[in-house]
């Protein structure tokens, strides 16, 4: 399969489908509907609690895409690494939609969106003030993941 520049791998698999994506693995959750190569993403503010605002923001992006929840073909959630509680909120939400509508369900790793541009090297994502999540990438594939402290990086 030929890669399209800037596209996340799993999006290529579901081309011409309506995809709801939830990433609640970080302090600022992100929701998006991707349809016909258009994105309707929304990033929650830091002070918006995932558990209180995620459904409202999902409804907003679905409305902006001029769709109904029934029109979604694929439900997707980021499953880590990241905040354990945040991941549970996002995954529970997506699994509930899947339970009701019985559509495709796709789990996405936090590092996957970067694989389109990171062919070889290390991807770092902030974890805390003193640690990072890392993924060692070779030939656009994740070979190893873990955490590393700021001191280890210096």
């Amino acid at each position: 399969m030929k890669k399209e520049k800037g596209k996340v791998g799993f999006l290529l698999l579901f081309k011409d489908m309506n995809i709801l994506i939830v990433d609640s693995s970080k302090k600022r959750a992100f929701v998006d509907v991707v349809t016909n190569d258009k994105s309707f993403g929304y990033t929650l503010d830091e002070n918006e609690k995932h558990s209180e605002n995620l459904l409202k923001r999902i409804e907003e992006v679905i409305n902006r895409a001029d769709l109904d929840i029934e029109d979604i073909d694929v439900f997707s959630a980021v499953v880590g690494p990241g905040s354990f509680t945040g991941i549970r909120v996002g995954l529970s939400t997506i699994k509930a939609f899947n339970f009701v509508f019985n559509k495709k369900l796709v789990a996405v790793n936090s590092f996957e969106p970067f694989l389109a541009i990171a062919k070889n090297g290390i991807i770092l994502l902030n974890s805390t003030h003193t640690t990072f999540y890392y993924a060692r990438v070779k030939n656009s594939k994740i070979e190893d993941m873990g955490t590393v402290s700021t001191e280890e990086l210096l």
Side-chain angles (χ1 to χ4, degrees):
M1 174 185 341
K2 185 178 155 192
K3 282 203 171 198
E4 294 180 37
K5 195 171 185 172
K7 290 257 185 166
V8 178
F10 84 94
L11 290 177
L12 293 172
L13 296 174
F14 301 109
K15 192 172 178 160
D16 301 324
M17 292 184 155
N18 301 322
I19 306 167
L20 173 63
I21 304 166
V22 172
D23 180 356
S24 54
S25 65
K26 299 169 196 62
K27 194 171 191 172
R28 296 181 67 169
F30 175 75
V31 296
D32 196 5
V33 168
V34 177
T35 181
N36 299 323
D37 290 333
K38 293 181 187 152
S39 174
F40 298 90
Y42 180 90
T43 302
L44 278 71
D45 292 329
E46 281 188 34
N47 59 353
E48 289 185 273
K49 290 185 178 180
H50 298 20
S51 59
E52 295 174 7
N53 295 286
L54 195 59
L55 287 172
K56 180 175 23 173
R57 299 308 180 203
I58 288 171
E59 182 179 30
E60 287 175 10
V61 296
I62 289 173
N63 289 338
R64 280 201 339 238
D66 200 27
L67 298 172
D68 293 317
I69 188 68
E70 296 88 1
D71 297 326
I72 300 298
D73 301 305
V74 179
F75 295 106
S76 179
V78 171
V79 294
S83 160
F84 179 70
T85 301
I87 292 168
R88 286 188 332 186
V89 169
L91 194 54
S92 296
T93 302
I94 289 299
K95 286 185 80 173
F97 286 138
N98 185 59
F99 180 79
V100 172
F101 299 107
N102 195 28
K103 303 288 179 96
K104 290 179 179 20
L105 186 63
V106 177
V108 179
N109 181 296
S110 295
F111 295 111
E112 278 187 56
F114 299 98
L115 294 178
I117 55 173
K119 309 281 186 234
N120 295 293
I122 296 175
I123 301 169
L124 294 174
L125 298 175
N126 193 31
S127 172
T128 66
H129 293 295
T130 59
T131 60
F132 293 87
Y133 299 112
Y134 75 85
R136 196 178 328 271
V137 178
K138 186 173 182 183
N139 298 322
S140 297
K141 293 191 173 137
I142 297 172
E143 293 213 325
D144 181 36
M145 292 186 298
T147 58
V148 62
S149 71
T150 306
E151 287 122 21
E152 291 175 280
L153 289 173
L154 302 176

